[in-house]
Amino acid sequence: MPEIVSAGPDLGEADLRAFEAPIPRGVNLDQATPLGVVTEHAGGFGGRPGIVGARPDGSAWSPRFAVDEMHLAGDHEVQFVLSDQIAGLGLELRFHLEHTLTMSATLTNRGDTTYTVQRLAPSLPLPSHAEDLLTFSGRWCREFQPQRSSFEGLTVVENRRGRTSHQRVPAIFAGSSGFSEQSGEVFGVQLAWSGNFEIAAEALPDGRRHVQAGELLSPGEVVLDPGDSYRAPDLVVAWSGQGLTGASQRFHQVVRSTATAGTERKVVCNTWEAVYFNHDLVTLQALADAAAAVGVERFVLDDGWFGGRRDDNAGLGDWWVSEAVWPTGLAPIIDHVTARGMDFGLWVEPEMVNPDSDLYRAHPEWTLTTAGYEPILGRHQLVLDLGRTEVRDLLFGALHELVDEYDIAYLKWDMNRDIVQGSHHGHAGAHGHVLGVYELIDRMRSAHPGLEIESCASGGGRADLGILRRTERIWTSDCNDAVERQSIQRGFSMLFPPEVMGAHIGPERAHTTRRRQDLGFRAATALFGHFGIEWNLLSASEADRAELASAVAVHKRLRPLLHRGRVVRVDHPDPAAIVHGVVSGDGSHAVFAYVQLTPSSSMVPLSCRLAGLDPDRTYHVTVIEGIDCLEPHGREQPAWIEQGTTATGAQLVHRGIQPPAMHPESVLLMELVAS
Ligand code: GLA
């Protein structure tokens, strides 16, 4: 079994004898017990095995592989073909190293009976100075909340909700003691998978430690017939010698290198919080007019346009345009939208069915439920079994017809409940469902090149590198409250780049928290992401609309930088404020935000250091105009706020810049241009 001797910087050619561990006195096994890429109990490894499974008679439960072949594929990839002749198993390992390391493992049953896979989870060994962990917790409307702990014993992050989930994120960071955004050595591991998962950080009593990640499989969920294979989800590993921000930047490069990258992220107007289920052509046309007038480029018609979907009790599964609300079809609204230079997007939730729907009445057997048990509903709906070909075919037909008939540039693909006791022909079906979703999306994409897709699951419940290989955007959270968004988006940015981070300006009073915030603060919060509006503009004042138009214009001007540059989250000593920015690849242009969330304990705000700039360049620093988000207070503010200033990158990185005294919920937005 191949072993990773060192993870981290490129150390060049090495004589491996320098790193060989002794076999000390007192251990009870007479040889070294390697921590392989797939850890093997059969090799004496005493921690969590990376492969667990068995044949019907219980045999082959503890394989030990040997390398048959090794191939170099280009400059960046190495592949190993392994087998265990006794167990009748083959294993292929692939390592692709470019910005990040992608580790792939595929297990093949070469025996003549079935092989049940319970776990196939590769490991990344870590140095013993990786003493701290960062994982994520969360909930609906509060996704991506980082959690710190020490790397001791066994930490397992487990998700059994059938989708990526709000509660756990398939990602972990391990790093040197007290690592921060700019300091410490940091290793990040993400699992490219949108279903159940388990990520373990294990520190062994012998001093070794590793992070192991794979799909969480239920008993009997993956049973390989002779000749069949199981491909484990890829692990994507990022390393940084200069803190968490550096590891995030590497993860961002991964998303930026996928097929979906590079498209201009259009400013969106989404109808959900504007009208909810009250679809009415005249109102929506007026909303589209108002959206176009402030500079919106894409109008997305949310839930409520189809079947019997007048509220969330009915209609999912019936993907035809409702004559009750759209008597002449969607053409009148789409034509209206496109005539104003915007493109049109449509909300769908293809994986779901309401018991009150024609689809369910015709095919109750198509759901992910278990025969004989009363199913648990979620938002009055059930999950369809996308492991079934006939279900995928039906959904493809329905979606294809819509996108074919209408001028639809974008689908908001929602998934609003967990999978509970979901069986596919009697056995656990979450694995097959996720593969089915991937296949359906891929099929839609190849039938409709150029169609963009947003991944939504009641907000950020399906955000991972697996879904991001086939979608352009994540709906980060159903929460549009800008204070909440500051922390949600900061957590999100640890894993994914801003151009895939759906960020909308909501109404003054947030629907999910009932808190009120100024338009400037809401705009400065949404500015960095895939920007949009989710607000009934028909009730907005003329002044608000003018302010909104100005914010949209600022976003459009800065978007090439914001969506291609390096994201920097700055270590800032004041817990009342957070600082983040984006620096262009060549270091010549940057935008930073000093966000005053709550009142600071000091009278004068602490100096704000701007990490990530080129120390050798000289920058002209100005406050960005066009977004009214700065609420200074006090007698006199620093002169540079009005006049701008000039400083070297080294000065800004080490000494920092002085923010004015600010009220909470206001933002100092700075633009830096190198001379
Ligand atoms: C989910 C989404 C929302 C909206 C509603 C529609 O909650 O996250 O943005 O689309 O569904 O029902």
Side-chain angles (χ1 to χ4, degrees), residues 510-529:
H511 288 199
T512 53
T513 62
R514 307 291 288 152
R515 207 154 42 182
R516 291 177 196 276
Q517 286 137 1
D518 287 350
L519 178 50
F521 181 56
R522 278 138 56 210
T525 301
L527 177 73
F528 289 78

Side-chain angles (χ1 to χ4, degrees), residues 81-390:
V81 180
L82 300 95
S83 64
D84 175 336
Q85 305 293 346
I86 300 165
L89 294 171
L91 181 65
E92 255 186 64
L93 300 172
R94 213 165 55 87
F95 302 85
H96 189 92
L97 185 63
E98 214 178 349
H99 312 305
T100 50
L101 171 69
T102 302
M103 301 165 69
S104 318
T106 304
L107 184 73
T108 302
N109 179 8
R110 298 209 187 124
D112 14 294
T113 57
T114 57
Y115 188 81
T116 298
V117 185
Q118 187 72 62
R119 178 189 299 151
L120 179 62
S123 280
L124 177 77
L126 291 173
S128 42
H129 62 265
E131 291 182 273
D132 284 4
L133 294 177
L134 186 159
T135 58
F136 296 87
S137 71
R139 62 162 168 84
W140 177 70
C141 277
R142 204 153 218 266
E143 295 86 342
F144 310 107
Q145 302 296 312
Q147 274 185 325
R148 296 293 289 251
S149 57
S150 57
F151 195 154
E152 281 173 312
L154 179 63
T155 301
V156 182
V157 179
E158 213 177 74
N159 168 43
R160 296 174 182 273
R161 292 174 186 263
R163 57 177 174 176
T164 318
S165 92
H166 296 80
Q167 290 78 7
R168 305 266 184 258
V169 174
I172 192 167
F173 292 94
S176 50
S177 179
F179 73 83
S180 70
E181 291 296 349
Q182 270 76 53
S183 75
E185 188 173 359
V186 178
F187 301 84
V189 177
Q190 290 200 58
L191 194 68
W193 184 245
S194 313
N196 294 328
F197 57 83
E198 46 182 359
I199 298 181
E202 186 177 45
L204 298 159
D206 62 23
R208 294 179 294 176
R209 55 193 58 210
H210 65 133
V211 165
Q212 182 187 73
E215 188 179 356
L216 193 159
L217 294 168
S218 294
E221 187 157 24
V222 172
V223 179
L224 300 178
D225 283 329
D228 279 1
S229 296
Y230 166 75
R231 179 169 173 175
D234 289 352
L235 270 69
V236 181
V237 180
W239 173 81
S240 160
Q242 291 172 318
L244 186 59
T245 279
S248 298
Q249 289 172 355
R250 288 216 155 104
F251 279 140
H252 295 180
Q253 280 174 298
V254 174
V255 177
R256 287 174 175 176
S257 66
T258 59
T260 63
T263 43
E264 174 125 303
R265 310 297 165 150
K266 299 198 169 185
V267 175
V268 164
C269 172
N270 180 290
T271 62
W272 179 239
E273 289 196 354
V275 299
Y276 291 104
F277 289 104
N278 303 320
H279 286 202
D280 159 66
L281 177 62
V282 174
T283 308
L284 286 164
Q285 283 177 334
L287 183 62
D289 291 343
V294 298
V296 164
E297 298 159 304
R298 172 174 291 155
F299 188 82
V300 181
L301 184 66
D302 212 283
D303 198 355
W305 58 268
F306 55 92
R309 189 74 170 168
R310 301 295 76 78
D311 54 40
D312 66 9
N313 284 288
L316 290 170
D318 299 341
W319 299 109
W320 56 84
V321 180
S322 161
E323 281 185 19
V325 270
W326 296 98
T328 51
L330 294 177
I333 185 67
I334 296 180
D335 292 347
H336 192 88
V337 163
T338 53
R340 273 141 197 83
M342 299 183 286
D343 69 24
F344 183 80
L346 192 65
W347 180 94
V348 290
E349 197 181 1
E351 297 151 71
M352 296 293 160
V353 67
N354 285 115
D356 185 0
S357 67
D358 291 351
L359 179 64
Y360 184 80
R361 283 182 280 271
H363 288 289
E365 76 284 5
W366 279 1
T367 53
L368 271 175
T369 49
T370 299
Y373 296 86
E374 189 62 35
I376 308 274
L377 292 172
R379 209 192 184 195
H380 321 290
Q381 64 202 50
L382 292 166
V383 189
L384 289 169
D385 179 7
L386 267 70
R388 286 178 182 251
T389 320
E390 62 274 33

Side-chain angles (χ1 to χ4, degrees), residues 272 302-303 309 347 379 412 414 416 456 458-459 475 478:
W272 179 239
D302 212 283
D303 198 355
R309 189 74 170 168
W347 180 94
R379 209 192 184 195
K412 175 178 174 183
D414 214 335
N416 283 321
C456 174
S458 306
W475 180 227
D478 276 350

Side-chain angles (χ1 to χ4, degrees), residues 517-584:
Q517 286 137 1
D518 287 350
L519 178 50
F521 181 56
R522 278 138 56 210
T525 301
L527 177 73
F528 289 78
H530 184 167
F531 192 75
I533 297 162
E534 190 166 342
W535 173 10
N536 188 351
L537 294 180
L538 303 176
S539 65
S541 67
E542 278 305 315
D544 275 356
R545 291 199 215 183
E547 209 180 322
L548 198 51
S550 168
V552 171
V554 171
H555 174 77
K556 286 181 180 171
R557 179 175 75 77
L558 294 173
R559 151 171 83 181
L561 164 66
L562 298 174
H563 292 173
R564 276 177 223 144
R566 290 190 300 258
V567 169
V568 182
R569 292 178 307 275
V570 181
D571 288 323
H572 186 69
D574 182 357
I578 65 174
V579 184
H580 65 99
V582 181
V583 182
S584 67

